[in-house]
Amino acid sequence: MKNRKKLHKHKEINKNRKHRKAAFKKKKELIRGKITLTASGLGFVTPLDADPDAEKVQDVFIPPQFINSAMNDDIVEVEILPDRDKFPTSADRGPAGRVQNIIDRARNTVVGEIIAGHKVRALNKRISEEIQISGSLNGAKRGEWVEVKLLHNEYAKTNVLHKGTIIDRVGHAGSVKGDLDAICKEFDLSSPYTEEENNEAGQLQPRSIKRVDLRDRTTATIDPFDAKDFDDAISITQTDNEAELELGVHIADVATWIAPGSKWDKAAYERSFTSYLPGRTLPMLPKSLTAAISLTADSDSM
């Protein structure tokens, strides 16, 4: 009888161990997603493997103490925390989690200002932690903008300070030129076109494309008088029905000048837009080409 009781007890212990192991595995299930960080240091992970038929994909909230060296837009794996009520953030609270692994880093460099303690404070406010500089400052001094190559850890660790090495001096923080140079480098804004590129683009001629001639309409540009290009305009015309007016919306005809897949098409695609910074304009197209395409007053637009 004693041996039977021991046998039953042994089976019960093994059964409990299996349940605990199964519960542990379930608890440790990881969710893969992209993390977005706010300027205040909060994190939100959008699952990448969510059900595509789901009406709404719920983000996982990451408290600051559980971000574990992840940076904005990194691909991470998160573990769901057991008690969501400890981290209330909104009326319809979703799950909270802890970054366990960093699968893919979104960036390898950061632009920031050198501060005391051999550290750099990032220009991008989504990087709230200071970066510890390893090695020499390479001639840079406190108060300068620098570009830092990040020395990422292979695994996420709690409270790990970001580390990096200085690879370029950008300019003095607080000066107009230095600040603009830092912004351009941090957000990878393209440099202005060279004079050679402007001259080359100015030689382009309009392509032979079927179009409608609307030069008989009185058309008014809606861009301000000091705009660098005039690509939008409107016209109002009386229709055959006296009770109706036709509103015409006119867009600068870029396709007449730029062939798909051409050099300038690729250049415009890479830039995507014209960047207007204080005292500095980074155009999407060379200024000579923009001038030819623009809907300029008192001139025929080819």
Side-chain angles (χ1 to χ4, degrees), residues 31-49:
I31 296 175
R32 181 170 166 269
K34 177 184 284 190
I35 189 168
T36 300
L37 301 181
T38 67
S40 59
L42 302 177
F44 297 89
V45 172
T46 302
L48 296 178
D49 304 320

Side-chain angles (χ1 to χ4, degrees), residues 192-203 264 283 285-290:
Y193 287 101
T194 65
E195 198 57 39
E196 181 181 355
E197 289 172 321
N198 275 307
N199 291 335
E200 180 184 347
Q203 302 304 312
W264 304 115
L285 290 169
K287 59 184 180 181
S288 57
L289 189 53
T290 298

Side-chain angles (χ1 to χ4, degrees), residues 238-245:
Q238 179 69 58
T239 66
D240 294 336
N241 185 339
E242 293 184 358
E244 293 180 353
L245 295 174

Side-chain angles (χ1 to χ4, degrees), residues 157-173:
K157 297 180 181 179
T158 305
N159 298 324
V160 172
L161 188 69
H162 293 301
K163 294 184 178 181
T165 58
I166 294 177
I167 57 176
D168 190 20
R169 297 171 64 183
V170 180
H172 196 279

